[in-house]
Amino acid sequence: MIAIGLLGPIEIRVDGRAVPVGGPGRRAITAALALERGAVVPVHQLVDSIWPDAPPATAVTKVQGHIWALRRELARAGGCPASGALQTQAPGYRLDAGSARTDLATFTGLTAEAVRHPGPDGAATRIGLLQRALGLWRGPAFGDVPAPAIQAAAAGLEERRMCALEDLAEALLALRRYDEAVSTMDALVLRQPFRERAWECLMRGHLGGGRPAAALGAYHEIRRLFADELGIAPGQRLRTLAGAIQRDQGR
């Protein structure tokens, strides 16, 4: 079985053995094929993934060379079954879904399964699934593939990662694991400071942990941030939560 790691720098393993991926062109092609695993990726799309602006006259030939080199490395690691996973099929190439798996597909499956366990009764199961899913990340998706088309896909995956972290925090809050939720959201708002859902989870974690002053401090921080950077106030949910904490503090 071929395992392709996309949630970080590109990795390829055949039955656990590392396969050299090669330079930027080969990494871009690997990323493009793995993103569309099981579907045919046209040659022109592979060309665009390497040369988005001005492809050389020899672009198609160079793509063919990269495909040949990838097959060679797969064959060295796993023989014909491995190299045969990279198939030629007009108008381009296809990575066989039955022979290759990706950490992205595993992440997608785990987060989808987590959704099927809603509410407080499913919180413990959600936590386990989401922690497994988030543990697959080794860094930014496609971290060593600068191609604009691949980085556009990476941005969408990063959003899914952030949503999974927020889902994890909400599940932790449901089980009153407040400090863990706070720790998870503290790290998230440092990276993504305009995520209101993350700030709400952070405030709720502080409040549940008996730290209403810290919860209000978080609200004042996001209110200042939104005012300074965006010229707007936080959303209604955050304002309502802050108002409720302030009323309780005034009693």
Side-chain angles (χ1 to χ4, degrees), residues 49-169:
S49 71
I50 304 174
W51 303 281
D53 298 320
T58 58
V60 172
T61 301
K62 289 180 181 293
V63 166
Q64 292 169 343
H66 288 313
I67 294 291
W68 178 85
L70 282 168
R71 283 181 175 145
R72 178 194 61 198
E73 296 298 343
L74 290 170
R76 285 175 175 171
C80 290
S83 63
L86 184 45
Q87 302 168 351
T88 301
Q89 187 172 335
Y93 300 95
R94 173 179 175 270
L95 186 63
D96 178 46
S99 304
R101 59 180 173 83
T102 68
D103 52 4
L104 172 57
T106 304
F107 174 82
T108 300
L110 289 169
T111 52
E113 178 64 21
V115 173
R116 291 192 279 271
H117 297 273
D121 291 342
T125 300
R126 287 202 310 282
I127 289 169
L129 291 165
L130 291 167
Q131 287 177 333
R132 285 171 57 196
L134 290 162
L136 296 169
W137 289 75
R138 296 169 286 109
F142 312 111
D144 55 354
V145 185
I150 303 301
Q151 284 304 305
L157 295 179
E158 185 66 16
E159 173 62 23
R160 289 170 58 184
R161 181 186 187 185
M162 299 302 103
C163 288
L165 281 165
E166 290 166 342
D167 289 343
L168 173 60

Side-chain angles (χ1 to χ4, degrees), residues 189 192-199 218-236 238-239:
V189 297
Q192 299 278 344
F194 298 105
R195 299 187 71 89
E196 292 196 50
R197 184 184 175 202
W199 283 100
Y219 176 72
H220 294 321
E221 174 63 19
I222 189 176
R223 186 176 63 180
R224 180 198 61 76
L225 183 69
F226 271 43
D228 291 349
E229 300 294 332
L230 304 177
I232 61 174
Q236 183 63 50
L238 285 175
R239 297 199 305 271

